[in-house]
Amino acid sequence: MAMVQLTHPVPARSFTEIWPYIVVAASGVVLLFMMFQPWVTASNWNGSASVNAFGRIVHSTRNMTIWTQSAPASARIDGVWAILATIAILVEVMAAIQAVLRRNELSGSVAAIAAIVVTLLVLIDVLNLDRSTPEIVASLGKGNDLGSQLALVVGAVRGTSAYPWPGKEVPLKTSGLTLWALASMLVAAGSAVGVLMRSWRGGLRAIVAVATRLV
């Protein structure tokens, strides 16, 4: 008795049409993970800090300001761009999933638009964090009164820090964007380019089909 084959392989053309949306959905999930990683690092006399895309600061202190009356102000970073980017990523992922499951051109267009918005918001967020780096560095300063000088002397005596004598070179760590921030921009831009190419081709085929019927 002949066996009836029940499985029907998906045509290669179908996978070719949907793979950009699969990449977009996966990139959105990866980007959400990357947004919780340190995007900016900074250091100064009173310790070091790292900041994620939402402006959350993780600070390690050396207690250089416990005796000072002029402690630097804490840095305040606006995380609204990251919140908007998160909403856009969720829309992008859901639209991409709908485009994969339903082969829906409208969902594909929504995914493409959302991918562009995500790229712009991520770029704005990175620029905002980079602009806030001096403020973060200043918040890790040591103060300018007698209490801060006493803290420097105690640190020098204990060997935990070098006293900044005039003319003495004291190395300080640099601050700036991390690889997480740069990689996030690349992931967002790459997924946007991929889905835009797919949507452009789909739109072009639709225009050609309509024009053929009219002719």
Side-chain angles (χ1 to χ4, degrees), residues 42-49 62 64 134 136-142 172-173:
S43 62
N44 206 338
W45 286 102
N46 195 35
S48 60
R62 299 175 63 188
M64 299 294 290
I136 302 170
V137 174
S139 69
L140 301 172
K142 58 181 176 56
L172 292 175
K173 294 181 180 180

Side-chain angles (χ1 to χ4, degrees), residues 12-67:
R13 182 181 177 184
S14 296
F15 180 77
T16 303
E17 292 176 351
I18 67 173
W19 75 261
Y21 301 123
I22 298 176
V23 173
V24 166
S27 299
V29 175
V30 172
L31 186 57
L32 280 177
F33 168 78
M34 298 174 73
M35 292 177 67
F36 289 92
Q37 306 306 312
W39 280 23
V40 169
T41 57
S43 62
N44 206 338
W45 286 102
N46 195 35
S48 60
S50 62
V51 188
N52 65 13
F54 298 91
R56 182 175 181 270
I57 302 175
V58 178
H59 176 207
S60 63
T61 180
R62 299 175 63 188
N63 296 316
M64 299 294 290
T65 59
I66 57 176
W67 296 326

Side-chain angles (χ1 to χ4, degrees), residues 47-202:
S48 60
S50 62
V51 188
N52 65 13
F54 298 91
R56 182 175 181 270
I57 302 175
V58 178
H59 176 207
S60 63
T61 180
R62 299 175 63 188
N63 296 316
M64 299 294 290
T65 59
I66 57 176
W67 296 326
T68 183
Q69 299 298 319
S70 60
S74 300
R76 296 183 180 276
I77 303 176
D78 193 2
V80 64
W81 299 112
I83 296 175
L84 293 176
T86 301
I87 296 173
I89 290 172
L90 294 177
V91 173
E92 173 190 30
V93 171
M94 295 302 297
I97 292 175
Q98 288 294 318
V100 171
L101 297 179
R102 299 179 180 274
R103 308 293 200 272
N104 191 339
E105 291 293 339
L106 177 60
S107 298
S109 300
V110 172
I113 295 173
I116 297 174
V117 174
V118 169
T119 303
L120 293 177
L121 291 175
V122 168
L123 177 60
I124 294 173
D125 193 24
V126 170
L127 294 177
N128 179 57
L129 291 175
D130 186 55
R131 185 182 59 183
S132 303
T133 300
E135 181 182 354
I136 302 170
V137 174
S139 69
L140 301 172
K142 58 181 176 56
N144 299 311
D145 58 2
L146 182 60
S148 62
Q149 295 299 317
L150 180 59
L152 287 173
V153 171
V154 172
V157 171
R158 297 186 59 190
T160 56
S161 63
Y163 190 84
W165 295 101
K168 180 180 180 181
E169 182 178 356
V170 179
L172 292 175
K173 294 181 180 180
T174 58
S175 58
L177 298 174
T178 66
L179 291 177
W180 287 108
L182 302 178
S184 298
M185 289 190 294
L186 291 177
V187 170
S191 62
V193 170
V195 75
L196 276 176
M197 291 181 62
R198 168 63 185 89
S199 297
W200 178 79
R201 290 175 182 175

